Amino acid sequence: VNQIQDEIDQNMVHAQIPISAELVGSYAVKTVAKPVLNVDVVLEMQTTMITPKVLKSSEKYTAKRDEFIELVVKKLDQTSIAQGTIELSRGFGGDTNRKIAVVTLTPPSSTAASTLTTWQVRLIPIPPKTDQSLDTFCSEARSDAKIIDHNVEIYTQYRRCSSFKDTSVMVKVWARARFGLESFGGFLSSLFLARLAASGKASRHLSSYQFFRIALASMGSSAEDDPTSVKALLGEQGENNGIDWSLLNHQAKVSLTQLDADTTTGGGFEGLFIAKTASHPEWMCDVLVHTRISNKEDRDKAIETLRKGLGNRAQLVCRIPCLEKTQDSFVVGLVLDTSG
């Protein structure tokens, strides 16, 4: 982050240099979860560029914001900072017009998961700090300005609650595995947990398992008058990110039931993190096949034979190490087509 700041300082004219670069998001509180490792950095824009008048106009603020981040990309692209790619990305925070700069890093070849993991630094412009009320900001400027406040909320609970870190990672992996909802599995899930803890619903002394159960109950609540439901806790931030609330509610309810199920039938705690496919609503019957073939080549051949034999009646969803004592035990996750 310091290197990026130095490159920006050296390659941009004074009026366009960010006032500050600040590390925020999941990486700052150590709750990132592979395979997507995002390091979020906010760049505070200059008051000479973002004036009080600009802050009130959506059109003017968006234009200035785009001008700033496009210049950052152009200048960084002239350096060797990325050792990979630097590009503009749209759709940050669920807003299709909201641009950020994405620096994709190339991990060392010695890294075991280098081909499976995406390492990115996301540069996010925010308006300069001001005494001006956020109520006078346009919606786009207000969303950007609140990033710091949201980060403070998360960091406060991270320091206060000993199980916050582990629970945050669990919720992210759960959301990604159950329905691939990346829009909820990142920053929003951490903000949700922070507000759940702040509401008093989750004690600071809870274990991560207990906190996770309470989070599932909150995500499974669709009652309009429940102040601790996930939708109520996230409020405006949740509405702007295109979350499928009905899908989130359903998966949370199913997962709570599964927590108390017999582990031999694919239930229990570890079953929650088996990937599911959401592309076909009728494909919802899980089958876990335990294999104990120590030779990797033979194991892969057996799994491929199984997949071909089932044909279009099943999709191979995942293949993960089984959480048992033996190292050569694997679980094959399948989703069967029950429509026929």
Side-chain angles (χ1 to χ4, degrees), residues 205-219:
H205 303 296
L206 290 177
S207 68
S208 55
Y209 177 80
Q210 292 170 320
F211 196 174
F212 183 61
R213 283 194 73 113
I214 291 173
L216 286 177
S218 175
M219 290 186 283

Side-chain angles (χ1 to χ4, degrees), residues 5-17:
Q5 176 73 69
D6 291 342
E7 294 288 358
I8 290 174
D9 289 348
Q10 294 172 21
N11 290 284
M12 295 176 70
V13 298
H14 179 73
Q16 299 164 331
I17 293 175

Side-chain angles (χ1 to χ4, degrees), residues 124-261:
I124 308 158
I126 63 171
K129 296 180 179 66
T130 174
D131 294 332
Q132 190 175 343
S133 171
L134 288 182
D135 293 336
T136 64
F137 287 19
C138 64
S139 59
E140 292 82 1
R142 187 165 56 249
S143 295
D144 286 340
K146 284 183 176 180
I147 290 177
I148 295 295
D149 293 337
H150 295 156
N151 197 64
V152 171
E153 284 186 72
I154 293 170
Y155 189 68
T156 299
Q157 297 306 322
Y158 166 76
R159 295 189 62 184
R160 172 182 171 272
C161 182
S162 60
S163 61
F164 181 87
K165 174 184 171 183
D166 290 342
T167 307
S168 182
V169 172
M170 287 162 58
V171 169
K172 289 177 183 181
V173 176
W174 170 83
R176 188 178 296 146
R178 300 304 287 186
F179 43 90
L181 194 52
E182 291 292 346
S183 59
F184 178 76
F187 159 76
L188 275 184
S189 62
S190 294
L191 183 62
F192 156 62
L193 290 175
R195 291 180 175 177
L196 185 62
S199 72
K201 187 91 175 198
S203 162
R204 59 183 294 186
H205 303 296
L206 290 177
S207 68
S208 55
Y209 177 80
Q210 292 170 320
F211 196 174
F212 183 61
R213 283 194 73 113
I214 291 173
L216 286 177
S218 175
M219 290 186 283
S221 172
S222 55
E224 294 291 336
D225 58 346
D226 183 0
T228 60
S229 71
V230 62
K231 193 172 182 179
L233 288 171
L234 286 177
E236 181 184 352
Q237 288 72 49
E239 293 174 4
N240 295 336
N241 280 271
I243 295 174
D244 187 334
W245 296 109
S246 61
L247 179 60
L248 180 62
N249 291 156
H250 172 71
Q251 288 294 345
K253 289 175 183 176
V254 170
S255 295
L256 266 178
T257 303
Q258 191 171 342
L259 269 180
D260 301 318

